[in-house]
Amino acid sequence: MRKGIPSLGALQAFEACARLGSFSRAAEELSLTHSAVFRQVEGLEARLGVTLFNRVRRRISLTTQGAEYAARIRHHLEQLQKDTFGLMSRSGLGRSLHIATLPTLATTWLIPRLADFQRHWPDVQISLSVRTHPFQFADVPVDGAIYHAAQPWPNTQGVMLFREQELVPVCSSQLLARAKVKGAGALAQLTHLHMMTRPDAWPSWYEHNAVPFTPLVLGGPRYELFTMLLAAVDAGLGVALVPAFVAREHIKSGRYVMPVSATLPVDTAYYFGYPKADSYPEALTLFESWLKAQAAG
C-alpha cells in the first residue's frame, strides 16, 4: 500500500455512501453488509482525521470537506474504471484503439468513413471519446487524438490531415428570407452566433472583409461546441461562422445559405497525433495511414 493512501475498499464505500446518501443503499450496491460499509467509512474518517458525514439519527449528509473529497474520489474511481476497461479490451481478441476527437469532426467526417476502415481491418476496433481542449497524453487514457490547432502539439508524433482553409457565414434560408435587405445589410440584421473557443472569429471576419463593425455583433449567444452552433443555425437563431468543409454539403442541399459570399481565411489545421515512443502498435500506424488517405481524398 502506498503510504498515506486509504484502501480502495474504504474509498469505494465512502463514494457510494456520498452518492446514494445512505449506508444501507451503498451496502446493497457493493454487496456488503450495512455494518461493513459503516466500519469502512468510520475507519476512513479516523485515518484522515476528518469528519466526512454529518449523522442525524439514521440520516447522513456530507460535510463541506466530505463533499469536496467525494467529488475528487469519484473522478479517480471513474478513471480507474476507464483504465481497467481499456486494458481488458487490449488483452482480448483482436486489436483496439481509443481515439480522442472533436465532436463535430467525428460526426460529420470521421464516423461516416469508419466503415471503410473496418472493411480493411475488421480485427481493429476504434473507440472514440470527445476532447474539445488540448491535453497531455499522460493525463488521458487514449492512444491518439484528432485535434484542431495552428501547429502540432509539442512532444507528439503524427500528421496534418487537412487545413481548415476558411470559415464561411451561414444561416437558415427561412431566416434570411425574413431579412428586409440583402448582402451585408442583411447580415447586420441577423443575430451573430459565436463559438466560445473562437471569440475573435466574427471581429476578424469584419476586419478582413472591410465591413463596418459594431459592438452589437458581440451580443449574440455563445456555444461551446460546433454541434450546438449548427443546431442553433438549423433552429433559425442567427448566423454563424463555420468551417467551409462542414458547411459545404449543407449549402449544396439547401439546408444552409450564405447571406454574403465573403469568407474568413484561417491558418489552422486538423491533426492526428500520439505520444512519441520508441515503437508503436501496428493498429496505430494502420489507422494513421488510413486517416492520411481519407484526408487526401
Coordinates of all heavy atoms in Angstrom, one line a residue, residues 85-166:
F85 N -11.1 -1.0 -18.1 CA -11.8 -1.5 -19.4 C -10.9 -1.4 -20.6 O -10.9 -2.2 -21.5 CB -13.0 -0.6 -19.6 CG -14.1 -1.0 -18.6 CD1 -15.2 0.0 -18.4 CD2 -14.2 -2.1 -17.9 CE1 -16.2 -0.3 -17.5 CE2 -15.2 -2.5 -17.0 CZ -16.2 -1.5 -16.9
G86 N -10.0 -0.3 -20.6 CA -9.1 -0.2 -21.7 C -8.1 -1.3 -21.8 O -7.8 -1.9 -22.9
L87 N -7.6 -1.7 -20.6 CA -6.6 -2.8 -20.6 C -7.3 -4.1 -21.0 O -6.7 -4.9 -21.7 CB -6.1 -2.9 -19.2 CG -5.1 -4.1 -18.9 CD1 -3.8 -3.9 -19.8 CD2 -4.7 -4.2 -17.5
M88 N -8.5 -4.3 -20.5 CA -9.3 -5.6 -20.8 C -9.5 -5.7 -22.3 O -9.4 -6.7 -22.9 CB -10.6 -5.6 -20.0 CG -10.4 -5.8 -18.6 SD -11.9 -5.5 -17.6 CE -12.9 -6.9 -18.3
S89 N -9.9 -4.5 -22.9 CA -10.2 -4.5 -24.4 C -8.9 -4.8 -25.2 O -8.9 -5.5 -26.2 CB -10.8 -3.2 -24.8 OG -9.8 -2.2 -24.7
R90 N -7.7 -4.3 -24.7 CA -6.5 -4.6 -25.4 C -6.0 -6.0 -25.3 O -5.3 -6.5 -26.1 CB -5.4 -3.6 -24.9 CG -5.6 -2.2 -25.4 CD -4.6 -1.3 -24.7 NE -4.6 0.1 -25.2 CZ -5.6 0.9 -25.0 NH1 -6.6 0.6 -24.2 NH2 -5.5 2.1 -25.5
S91 N -6.4 -6.7 -24.2 CA -5.9 -8.0 -23.9 C -6.8 -9.1 -24.6 O -6.5 -10.3 -24.6 CB -5.8 -8.3 -22.4 OG -7.1 -8.2 -21.8
G92 N -8.0 -8.6 -25.1 CA -8.9 -9.6 -25.7 C -8.6 -9.9 -27.1 O -7.5 -9.6 -27.6
L93 N -9.5 -10.6 -27.8 CA -9.2 -10.9 -29.2 C -9.2 -9.7 -30.0 O -10.0 -8.7 -29.8 CB -10.3 -11.9 -29.7 CG -10.3 -13.3 -29.0 CD1 -11.5 -14.0 -29.5 CD2 -9.0 -14.0 -29.3
G94 N -8.4 -9.7 -31.1 CA -8.4 -8.5 -31.9 C -7.5 -7.4 -31.3 O -6.8 -7.5 -30.3
R95 N -7.6 -6.2 -32.0 CA -6.8 -5.1 -31.5 C -7.8 -3.9 -31.4 O -8.9 -3.9 -32.0 CB -5.8 -4.7 -32.6 CG -4.7 -5.8 -32.7 CD -3.8 -5.6 -33.9 NE -4.4 -5.8 -35.2 CZ -3.9 -5.6 -36.4 NH1 -2.6 -5.2 -36.4 NH2 -4.5 -5.9 -37.5
S96 N -7.4 -2.9 -30.6 CA -8.3 -1.8 -30.3 C -7.5 -0.5 -30.2 O -6.3 -0.5 -29.8 CB -9.2 -2.0 -29.1 OG -8.3 -2.0 -27.9
L97 N -8.1 0.6 -30.6 CA -7.6 1.9 -30.4 C -8.6 2.8 -29.7 O -9.8 2.7 -30.1 CB -7.1 2.5 -31.7 CG -5.9 1.9 -32.4 CD1 -5.8 2.6 -33.8 CD2 -4.7 2.0 -31.6
H98 N -8.2 3.7 -28.8 CA -9.1 4.6 -28.2 C -8.6 6.0 -28.7 O -7.5 6.4 -28.4 CB -9.0 4.5 -26.7 CG -10.0 5.4 -26.1 ND1 -10.2 5.5 -24.7 CD2 -10.9 6.3 -26.6 CE1 -11.2 6.3 -24.4 NE2 -11.6 6.9 -25.5
I99 N -9.4 6.7 -29.5 CA -9.0 8.0 -30.1 C -9.9 9.1 -29.5 O -11.1 9.0 -29.5 CB -9.2 7.9 -31.6 CG1 -8.4 6.7 -32.2 CG2 -8.8 9.2 -32.3 CD1 -6.9 6.8 -32.0
A100 N -9.2 10.2 -29.1 CA -9.9 11.4 -28.7 C -10.1 12.2 -30.0 O -9.2 12.3 -30.8 CB -9.1 12.1 -27.7
T101 N -11.3 12.9 -30.1 CA -11.5 13.6 -31.3 C -12.5 14.8 -30.9 O -13.1 14.8 -29.9 CB -12.1 12.8 -32.4 OG1 -12.3 13.5 -33.6 CG2 -13.5 12.2 -32.0
L102 N -12.7 15.7 -31.9 CA -13.6 16.8 -31.8 C -15.0 16.3 -32.2 O -15.1 15.5 -33.1 CB -13.2 17.9 -32.7 CG -11.8 18.5 -32.4 CD1 -11.3 19.3 -33.6 CD2 -11.8 19.3 -31.1
P103 N -16.0 16.7 -31.4 CA -17.4 16.1 -31.7 C -17.9 16.3 -33.1 O -18.4 15.4 -33.7 CB -18.2 16.7 -30.6 CG -17.5 17.9 -30.1 CD -16.1 17.6 -30.3
T104 N -17.8 17.5 -33.6 CA -18.4 17.8 -34.9 C -17.6 17.1 -36.0 O -18.1 16.6 -37.0 CB -18.4 19.3 -35.2 OG1 -19.1 20.0 -34.1 CG2 -19.1 19.6 -36.5
L105 N -16.2 17.1 -35.9 CA -15.4 16.4 -36.8 C -15.7 14.9 -36.8 O -15.8 14.2 -37.9 CB -13.9 16.6 -36.5 CG -13.0 16.1 -37.6 CD1 -13.0 16.9 -38.8 CD2 -11.6 16.0 -37.1
A106 N -16.0 14.4 -35.6 CA -16.3 12.9 -35.5 C -17.6 12.6 -36.3 O -17.7 11.6 -37.0 CB -16.4 12.5 -34.1
T107 N -18.7 13.4 -36.0 CA -20.0 13.1 -36.6 C -20.1 13.4 -38.1 O -20.8 12.8 -38.8 CB -21.1 13.8 -35.8 OG1 -20.8 15.2 -35.8 CG2 -21.2 13.3 -34.4
T108 N -19.4 14.5 -38.5 CA -19.5 14.9 -39.9 C -18.5 14.3 -40.9 O -18.7 14.2 -42.1 CB -19.5 16.4 -40.1 OG1 -18.2 16.9 -39.6 CG2 -20.6 17.1 -39.2
W109 N -17.3 13.9 -40.3 CA -16.2 13.5 -41.2 C -15.7 12.1 -40.8 O -15.6 11.2 -41.7 CB -15.1 14.5 -41.1 CG -14.0 14.2 -42.1 CD1 -14.0 14.6 -43.4 CD2 -12.7 13.5 -41.9 NE1 -12.8 14.1 -44.1 CE2 -12.0 13.5 -43.1 CE3 -12.2 12.9 -40.8 CZ2 -10.8 12.8 -43.2 CZ3 -11.0 12.3 -40.9 CH2 -10.3 12.2 -42.1
L110 N -15.4 11.8 -39.6 CA -14.7 10.6 -39.2 C -15.6 9.4 -39.2 O -15.4 8.4 -39.9 CB -14.0 10.7 -37.9 CG -13.3 9.5 -37.3 CD1 -12.2 9.0 -38.3 CD2 -12.7 9.8 -35.9
I111 N -16.7 9.4 -38.4 CA -17.6 8.3 -38.3 C -18.2 7.8 -39.6 O -18.2 6.6 -39.8 CB -18.7 8.6 -37.2 CG1 -18.0 8.7 -35.8 CG2 -19.7 7.5 -37.2 CD1 -19.0 9.1 -34.7
P112 N -18.6 8.7 -40.5 CA -19.1 8.2 -41.8 C -18.1 7.4 -42.6 O -18.5 6.6 -43.5 CB -19.6 9.5 -42.5 CG -19.9 10.5 -41.4 CD -18.8 10.1 -40.3
R113 N -16.8 7.6 -42.3 CA -15.8 6.9 -43.1 C -15.3 5.6 -42.4 O -14.5 4.9 -43.0 CB -14.6 7.9 -43.3 CG -14.9 9.0 -44.3 CD -13.8 10.0 -44.2 NE -13.9 10.9 -45.4 CZ -14.7 12.0 -45.5 NH1 -15.6 12.2 -44.5 NH2 -14.7 12.7 -46.6
L114 N -15.6 5.4 -41.1 CA -15.0 4.3 -40.3 C -15.4 3.0 -40.9 O -14.7 2.0 -40.7 CB -15.4 4.4 -38.9 CG -14.6 5.4 -38.0 CD1 -15.1 5.4 -36.6 CD2 -13.1 5.0 -38.1
A115 N -16.6 2.9 -41.6 CA -16.9 1.6 -42.1 C -15.9 1.1 -43.2 O -15.6 -0.1 -43.3 CB -18.3 1.7 -42.8
D116 N -15.3 2.1 -43.9 CA -14.2 1.7 -44.8 C -13.0 1.1 -44.1 O -12.4 0.1 -44.5 CB -13.8 3.0 -45.6 CG -12.7 2.7 -46.6 OD1 -12.9 2.1 -47.6 OD2 -11.5 3.0 -46.3
F117 N -12.7 1.7 -42.9 CA -11.6 1.2 -42.1 C -11.9 -0.2 -41.7 O -11.0 -1.1 -41.7 CB -11.3 2.1 -41.0 CG -10.1 1.7 -40.1 CD1 -8.8 2.0 -40.5 CD2 -10.3 0.9 -39.0 CE1 -7.7 1.6 -39.7 CE2 -9.3 0.4 -38.2 CZ -8.0 0.8 -38.6
Q118 N -13.1 -0.4 -41.2 CA -13.5 -1.8 -40.7 C -13.5 -2.8 -41.8 O -13.2 -4.0 -41.5 CB -14.9 -1.7 -40.1 CG -15.0 -0.9 -38.8 CD -14.2 -1.6 -37.7 OE1 -14.5 -2.7 -37.3 NE2 -13.1 -1.0 -37.2
R119 N -13.8 -2.4 -43.0 CA -13.7 -3.4 -44.1 C -12.3 -3.8 -44.4 O -12.0 -5.0 -44.7 CB -14.3 -2.7 -45.4 CG -15.8 -2.7 -45.5 CD -16.3 -2.4 -46.9 NE -15.9 -1.0 -47.3 CZ -16.7 0.0 -47.1 NH1 -17.8 -0.1 -46.4 NH2 -16.3 1.2 -47.5
H120 N -11.3 -2.9 -44.2 CA -9.9 -3.3 -44.5 C -9.3 -4.0 -43.3 O -8.5 -4.9 -43.5 CB -9.1 -2.0 -44.8 CG -9.4 -1.4 -46.1 ND1 -10.4 -0.6 -46.4 CD2 -8.8 -1.6 -47.3 CE1 -10.4 -0.2 -47.7 NE2 -9.4 -0.8 -48.3
W121 N -9.6 -3.6 -42.1 CA -9.0 -4.2 -40.9 C -10.2 -4.5 -39.9 O -10.3 -3.8 -38.9 CB -8.0 -3.2 -40.3 CG -6.9 -3.0 -41.2 CD1 -5.8 -3.8 -41.4 CD2 -6.7 -1.8 -42.0 NE1 -5.0 -3.2 -42.4 CE2 -5.5 -2.0 -42.7 CE3 -7.4 -0.6 -42.2 CZ2 -5.0 -1.1 -43.6 CZ3 -6.9 0.3 -43.1 CH2 -5.7 0.1 -43.8
P122 N -10.9 -5.6 -40.1 CA -12.1 -5.9 -39.2 C -11.7 -6.3 -37.8 O -12.5 -6.2 -36.9 CB -12.7 -7.1 -40.0 CG -11.6 -7.7 -40.8 CD -10.8 -6.5 -41.2
D123 N -10.4 -6.6 -37.6 CA -10.0 -7.0 -36.2 C -9.6 -5.8 -35.4 O -9.2 -6.0 -34.2 CB -8.9 -8.0 -36.3 CG -7.6 -7.4 -36.9 OD1 -7.7 -6.6 -37.8 OD2 -6.5 -7.8 -36.4
V124 N -9.5 -4.6 -35.9 CA -9.2 -3.4 -35.2 C -10.4 -2.6 -34.8 O -11.1 -2.2 -35.7 CB -8.2 -2.5 -36.0 CG1 -7.8 -1.3 -35.1 CG2 -7.0 -3.3 -36.4
Q125 N -10.7 -2.5 -33.5 CA -11.8 -1.8 -33.0 C -11.4 -0.3 -32.7 O -10.5 -0.1 -31.9 CB -12.4 -2.5 -31.8 CG -12.9 -3.9 -32.1 CD -14.0 -3.9 -33.2 OE1 -14.9 -3.1 -33.2 NE2 -13.8 -4.9 -34.1
I126 N -12.2 0.7 -33.2 CA -11.9 2.1 -32.9 C -12.9 2.6 -32.0 O -14.1 2.7 -32.3 CB -11.9 2.9 -34.2 CG1 -10.9 2.3 -35.3 CG2 -11.5 4.3 -33.9 CD1 -9.5 2.3 -34.8
S127 N -12.5 3.0 -30.8 CA -13.4 3.7 -29.8 C -13.1 5.2 -29.8 O -11.9 5.6 -30.0 CB -13.2 3.1 -28.4 OG -13.6 1.7 -28.4
L128 N -14.1 6.0 -29.7 CA -14.0 7.4 -29.7 C -14.5 8.1 -28.5 O -15.4 7.7 -27.9 CB -14.7 8.0 -30.9 CG -14.4 7.5 -32.3 CD1 -15.3 8.1 -33.3 CD2 -12.9 7.7 -32.7
S129 N -13.8 9.1 -28.0 CA -14.2 10.0 -26.9 C -14.0 11.4 -27.3 O -13.2 11.7 -28.2 CB -13.6 9.6 -25.6 OG -12.2 9.8 -25.7
V130 N -14.7 12.3 -26.7 CA -14.7 13.7 -27.0 C -13.7 14.5 -26.2 O -13.7 14.4 -25.0 CB -16.1 14.4 -26.9 CG1 -16.0 15.9 -27.0 CG2 -17.0 13.8 -27.9
R131 N -12.9 15.3 -26.8 CA -12.0 16.2 -26.2 C -12.0 17.5 -27.0 O -11.7 17.5 -28.2 CB -10.6 15.7 -26.0 CG -10.4 14.6 -25.1 CD -10.5 15.0 -23.7 NE -10.2 13.9 -22.7 CZ -11.1 12.9 -22.4 NH1 -12.3 12.9 -22.9 NH2 -10.7 12.0 -21.5
T132 N -12.4 18.6 -26.4 CA -12.5 19.9 -27.1 C -11.4 20.8 -26.8 O -11.3 21.9 -27.4 CB -13.9 20.6 -26.8 OG1 -14.0 20.8 -25.4 CG2 -15.0 19.7 -27.3
H133 N -10.5 20.5 -25.8 CA -9.4 21.3 -25.4 C -8.1 20.5 -25.5 O -8.1 19.3 -25.3 CB -9.6 21.9 -24.1 CG -10.9 22.8 -24.0 ND1 -10.9 24.1 -24.5 CD2 -12.1 22.6 -23.4 CE1 -12.1 24.6 -24.3 NE2 -12.8 23.7 -23.7
P134 N -7.0 21.2 -25.6 CA -5.7 20.5 -25.6 C -5.5 19.7 -24.3 O -6.0 20.2 -23.2 CB -4.7 21.6 -25.8 CG -5.4 22.7 -26.5 CD -6.8 22.6 -26.0
F135 N -4.7 18.6 -24.3 CA -4.5 17.9 -23.1 C -3.1 17.2 -23.2 O -2.6 17.1 -24.3 CB -5.6 16.8 -22.8 CG -5.7 15.8 -23.9 CD1 -5.0 14.7 -24.0 CD2 -6.7 16.0 -25.0 CE1 -5.1 13.7 -25.0 CE2 -6.8 15.1 -26.0 CZ -6.0 13.9 -26.0
Q136 N -2.6 16.7 -22.1 CA -1.4 15.9 -22.1 C -1.8 14.4 -22.2 O -2.7 13.9 -21.5 CB -0.7 16.1 -20.8 CG -0.2 17.6 -20.6 CD 1.0 17.9 -21.5 OE1 1.7 17.0 -21.9 NE2 1.1 19.2 -21.8
F137 N -1.2 13.7 -23.1 CA -1.5 12.3 -23.2 C -1.3 11.5 -21.9 O -1.9 10.5 -21.7 CB -0.7 11.7 -24.4 CG -1.2 12.0 -25.7 CD1 -0.7 12.9 -26.5 CD2 -2.4 11.3 -26.2 CE1 -1.2 13.2 -27.8 CE2 -2.9 11.6 -27.4 CZ -2.3 12.5 -28.2
A138 N -0.3 11.9 -21.1 CA -0.1 11.2 -19.9 C -1.3 11.3 -18.9 O -1.4 10.5 -18.0 CB 1.2 11.8 -19.2
D139 N -2.1 12.3 -19.1 CA -3.3 12.5 -18.2 C -4.6 11.9 -18.8 O -5.6 11.9 -18.0 CB -3.5 14.0 -18.0 CG -2.3 14.7 -17.4 OD1 -1.6 14.1 -16.6 OD2 -2.1 15.9 -17.7
V140 N -4.6 11.4 -20.0 CA -5.8 10.9 -20.6 C -5.5 9.6 -21.2 O -4.6 9.4 -22.0 CB -6.3 11.9 -21.7 CG1 -7.6 11.4 -22.3 CG2 -6.6 13.3 -21.1
P141 N -6.3 8.5 -20.9 CA -6.1 7.2 -21.4 C -6.5 6.9 -22.8 O -7.5 6.2 -23.1 CB -6.9 6.3 -20.4 CG -8.0 7.2 -20.0 CD -7.5 8.6 -20.0
V142 N -5.9 7.6 -23.8 CA -6.2 7.4 -25.2 C -4.9 7.1 -25.9 O -3.8 7.4 -25.5 CB -6.9 8.7 -25.8 CG1 -8.2 8.9 -25.1 CG2 -6.0 9.9 -25.7
D143 N -5.1 6.5 -27.1 CA -3.9 6.1 -27.9 C -3.5 7.2 -28.9 O -2.3 7.3 -29.3 CB -4.2 4.9 -28.8 CG -4.6 3.7 -27.9 OD1 -3.7 3.2 -27.1 OD2 -5.7 3.2 -27.9
G144 N -4.4 8.1 -29.2 CA -4.2 9.2 -30.2 C -5.3 10.2 -30.1 O -6.3 10.0 -29.5
A145 N -5.1 11.3 -30.8 CA -6.1 12.3 -30.9 C -6.2 13.0 -32.2 O -5.1 13.2 -32.9 CB -5.8 13.4 -29.8
I146 N -7.4 13.3 -32.6 CA -7.6 14.2 -33.8 C -8.0 15.6 -33.2 O -9.0 15.7 -32.5 CB -8.6 13.6 -34.7 CG1 -8.2 12.2 -35.2 CG2 -8.9 14.6 -35.9 CD1 -9.3 11.6 -36.0
Y147 N -7.2 16.6 -33.5 CA -7.4 17.9 -32.9 C -7.2 19.0 -33.9 O -6.7 18.8 -35.0 CB -6.4 18.0 -31.7 CG -5.0 17.9 -32.1 CD1 -4.2 19.1 -32.4 CD2 -4.3 16.7 -32.1 CE1 -2.9 19.0 -32.7 CE2 -3.0 16.6 -32.4 CZ -2.2 17.8 -32.7 OH -0.9 17.7 -33.1
H148 N -7.7 20.2 -33.5 CA -7.6 21.4 -34.3 C -6.6 22.4 -33.6 O -6.7 22.7 -32.5 CB -9.0 22.0 -34.3 CG -9.0 23.4 -35.0 ND1 -9.1 24.5 -34.3 CD2 -9.0 23.7 -36.3 CE1 -9.2 25.6 -35.1 NE2 -9.1 25.1 -36.3
A149 N -5.6 22.8 -34.4 CA -4.6 23.7 -33.9 C -3.9 24.4 -35.0 O -4.0 24.1 -36.2 CB -3.6 22.9 -33.0
A150 N -3.1 25.4 -34.6 CA -2.3 26.1 -35.6 C -1.0 25.4 -35.9 O -0.4 25.6 -37.0 CB -1.9 27.5 -35.0
Q151 N -0.6 24.5 -35.0 CA 0.6 23.6 -35.3 C 0.5 22.4 -34.4 O -0.3 22.3 -33.5 CB 1.9 24.4 -34.9 CG 1.9 24.9 -33.4 CD 3.0 25.8 -33.2 OE1 3.7 26.2 -34.1 NE2 3.2 26.2 -31.9
P152 N 1.3 21.4 -34.7 CA 1.2 20.1 -33.9 C 1.5 20.3 -32.4 O 2.3 21.2 -32.1 CB 2.3 19.2 -34.6 CG 2.5 19.8 -35.9 CD 2.3 21.3 -35.8
W153 N 0.9 19.5 -31.6 CA 1.1 19.6 -30.2 C 2.6 19.3 -29.9 O 3.2 18.4 -30.6 CB 0.2 18.7 -29.4 CG -1.2 19.1 -29.4 CD1 -1.7 20.3 -29.8 CD2 -2.3 18.3 -28.9 NE1 -3.1 20.3 -29.6 CE2 -3.5 19.2 -29.0 CE3 -2.5 17.1 -28.4 CZ2 -4.8 18.7 -28.7 CZ3 -3.7 16.6 -28.0 CH2 -4.9 17.4 -28.2
P154 N 3.2 19.9 -28.9 CA 4.6 19.6 -28.5 C 4.7 18.1 -28.0 O 3.8 17.5 -27.5 CB 4.9 20.5 -27.4 CG 3.8 21.6 -27.5 CD 2.6 21.0 -28.1
N155 N 5.9 17.5 -28.3 CA 6.2 16.2 -27.8 C 5.2 15.1 -28.3 O 5.0 14.1 -27.6 CB 6.2 16.2 -26.3 CG 7.2 17.2 -25.7 OD1 8.4 17.3 -26.2 ND2 6.8 17.9 -24.7
T156 N 4.7 15.3 -29.5 CA 3.9 14.3 -30.1 C 4.4 13.9 -31.5 O 5.1 14.7 -32.2 CB 2.4 14.8 -30.3 OG1 2.4 15.9 -31.2 CG2 1.8 15.2 -28.9
Q157 N 4.0 12.8 -32.0 CA 4.2 12.3 -33.3 C 2.9 12.3 -34.1 O 1.8 12.3 -33.5 CB 4.8 10.9 -33.3 CG 5.2 10.3 -34.6 CD 6.4 11.0 -35.2 OE1 7.3 11.4 -34.4 NE2 6.5 11.0 -36.5
G158 N 2.9 12.5 -35.4 CA 1.6 12.4 -36.1 C 1.7 13.2 -37.4 O 2.8 13.4 -37.9
V159 N 0.5 13.4 -38.0 CA 0.5 14.1 -39.3 C -0.6 15.1 -39.3 O -1.6 15.1 -38.5 CB 0.1 13.0 -40.4 CG1 1.3 12.0 -40.5 CG2 -1.2 12.3 -40.1
M160 N -0.5 16.1 -40.3 CA -1.5 17.0 -40.5 C -2.5 16.3 -41.5 O -2.1 15.8 -42.5 CB -1.0 18.3 -41.1 CG -2.1 19.4 -41.3 SD -1.5 20.9 -42.1 CE -1.2 20.3 -43.8
L161 N -3.8 16.3 -41.2 CA -4.8 15.7 -42.0 C -5.2 16.7 -43.1 O -5.1 16.3 -44.3 CB -6.0 15.3 -41.2 CG -5.7 14.2 -40.1 CD1 -6.9 13.9 -39.3 CD2 -5.1 13.0 -40.8
F162 N -5.7 17.8 -42.8 CA -6.1 18.8 -43.8 C -6.2 20.2 -43.1 O -6.4 20.3 -41.9 CB -7.4 18.5 -44.5 CG -8.5 18.2 -43.6 CD1 -9.3 19.2 -43.1 CD2 -8.8 16.9 -43.3 CE1 -10.4 18.9 -42.3 CE2 -9.9 16.6 -42.4 CZ -10.7 17.6 -41.9
R163 N -6.0 21.2 -43.9 CA -6.1 22.6 -43.4 C -7.6 23.0 -43.4 O -8.4 22.6 -44.2 CB -5.3 23.6 -44.3 CG -3.8 23.3 -44.3 CD -3.1 24.5 -44.9 NE -1.6 24.3 -44.8 CZ -0.9 24.5 -43.6 NH1 -1.5 24.9 -42.6 NH2 0.4 24.2 -43.6
E164 N -7.9 23.8 -42.4 CA -9.3 24.3 -42.3 C -9.6 25.3 -43.5 O -10.8 25.3 -43.9 CB -9.5 24.9 -41.0 CG -11.0 25.2 -40.7 CD -11.2 25.5 -39.2 OE1 -10.6 26.5 -38.7 OE2 -12.0 24.9 -38.6
Q165 N -8.7 26.0 -43.9 CA -8.7 27.0 -45.0 C -9.6 28.2 -44.7 O -9.1 29.3 -44.8 CB -9.2 26.3 -46.3 CG -8.3 25.2 -46.7 CD -8.7 24.5 -48.0 OE1 -9.9 24.5 -48.4 NE2 -7.8 24.0 -48.8
E166 N -10.9 28.1 -44.5 CA -11.7 29.3 -44.3 C -13.0 29.0 -43.5 O -13.4 27.8 -43.4 CB -12.1 29.9 -45.6 CG -12.9 29.0 -46.5 CD -13.2 29.6 -47.9 OE1 -12.7 30.7 -48.1 OE2 -14.0 29.0 -48.6

